[in-house]
Structures are given as C-alpha cells and as structure tokens.
Amino acid sequence: LAKTTQPISMDSYEGQEVNITCSHNNIATNDYITWYQQFPSQGPRFIIQGYKTKVTNEVASLFIPADRKSSTLSLPRVSLSDTAVYYCLVGDTASGAGSYQLTFGKGTKLSVIP
Amino acid sequence: NAGVTQTPKFQVLKTGQSMTLQCAQDMNHNSMYWYRQDPGMGLRLIYYSASEGTTDKGEVPNGYNVSRLNKREFSLRLESAAPSQTSVYFCASSEAEGTDTQYFGPGTRLTVL
C-alpha cells in the first residue's frame, strides 16, 4: 500500500532543470524526507535529505513547504547520466502509536533525451 | 571498506526449496533492512532490524524470516520458496532507525520456478 505519491515517469531534454514532486500526507513529526537515485541493476543511492524549507548540495536541491505534506526534488541542467529512477522516502505515522514503517514511493522514471 | 555486501548475486530455486540470503555491513551501523523490488512496484520493506537483537516486520513480511546474527550481519530466509517470491532483494543499513541515510547492497536476483 503506497504511502507516497510521485509521477510514474518524466522526460526532459539535456540541459533543462527537472522538478519531481512527492506527496506524503502522513509524514511523522520528527521524520526527514530523503531522496534516492537508482540506476538499472544497482541498489538505490542517497541524493539529498531535508526536514523543511530548502536544502541544496552539489547535485540537487530539495524544496519542502511549511506543512511538509509534499517535497520537490530539483535537478539543475540534467545530463544523459541522470537517467534513472528517483524515489522519495519518508516515515509513516499511519502504522500505529510508537511505530512506523519505512516507505519508498513507487519512484519516478526520469528519461533524459539528447 | 566494502560497505554493504550481499550473497549470492543470483539464485534459482524450485518451488518449496529453502534458502538464506546473506547480508553484511562494515560501517558499524545499528539498523539494517531487507527490501524486495518487483517491476512497477518500487521497493517494499520486508523486515528491518533497528538495532542488534531486534527485528520488526515491514510491509510484506509473509513467507520470510530474518535473523540479526550480530551487529554486522542480517540474513533473510525463505523457508518454502514460491514463484511469487521471484524478485530482486536488496539489503541496506543505516546508522540509526528511520529515515537516516540508508546504504544499499548490490542486490540478489532470485528466481523461483
């Protein structure tokens, strides 16, 4: 049962900025939002993590509104090597008091076109 | 520093056979996880171990058992394999429980005939 919602796929041309949004209505108060990247036949790899407002590192930016019910991963000037599946990961308080389950979104398949 | 290692890389089983997938990490992490990945389903959590000596069910635990052998090792056992368990299995570890950064192994591709 999916606890997050992301677009299934996106296409972009090389050099463009790409924004991928994840909805997570039941995020836990103390949880962070984490995005991962996965290439075929490999395990996911950490990209960026944040709690609220904006976080930026050398590969991406993460925008989180005040209510934290969604987040947007921004990839500046994508290249062909950015073609991958992108997942957002959050905690889920719907499992009951004192516990939560870790849930990956279904992922967004980004295809970068030359 | 190998990170997270998994064995075997590939395995073919017949229905009803049993096997254990091995996972080890050398980062002194407290938490470890087992996921399965099926086409179009993303990653789904099978079991996790928040710390040595504890294990908890994830989203899809039926048909699996786990053992946190020590801080480094976390194994996943299929007692009686079924075709529905054909999948790619990933092990991961993190310093702490929750959405702390997880480091993934290379995966085990399992086919059950």
Side-chain angles (χ1 to χ4, degrees), chain A residues 1-2 31-34 36 38 41-46 49 87 89-91 100-106, chain B residues 33 35 37 40-45 48 57-59 90 97-107 109:
Chain A
L1 185 62
D31 277 329
Y32 283 69
I33 298 156
T34 311
Y36 288 81
Q38 186 179 28
S41 301
Q42 295 185 25
R45 184 183 71 166
F46 170 86
Q49 184 179 73
Y87 296 94
L89 176 62
V90 299
Y100 60 88
Q101 292 191 359
L102 304 170
T103 305
F104 274 77
K106 289 190 181 295
Chain B
Y33 314 83
Y35 294 89
Q37 185 170 36
M41 296 298 293
L43 286 106
R44 292 184 292 172
L45 182 66
Y48 69 99
K57 295 178 181 179
E59 183 183 356
F90 289 102
E97 185 184 6
T99 53
D100 194 39
T101 304
Q102 295 184 27
Y103 297 84
F104 284 79
R109 186 173 295 274

Side-chain angles (χ1 to χ4, degrees), chain B residues 22-65:
Chain B
Q22 306 286 354
C23 173
Q25 52 91 7
D26 61 3
M27 296 173 282
N28 201 34
H29 284 168
N30 291 304
S31 301
M32 298 185 73
Y33 314 83
W34 276 106
Y35 294 89
R36 61 177 289 175
Q37 185 170 36
D38 304 305
M41 296 298 293
L43 286 106
R44 292 184 292 172
L45 182 66
I46 304 171
Y47 271 94
Y48 69 99
S49 171
S51 61
E52 186 178 356
T54 68
T55 60
D56 283 288
K57 295 178 181 179
E59 183 183 356
V60 289
N62 291 342
Y64 305 95
N65 286 302

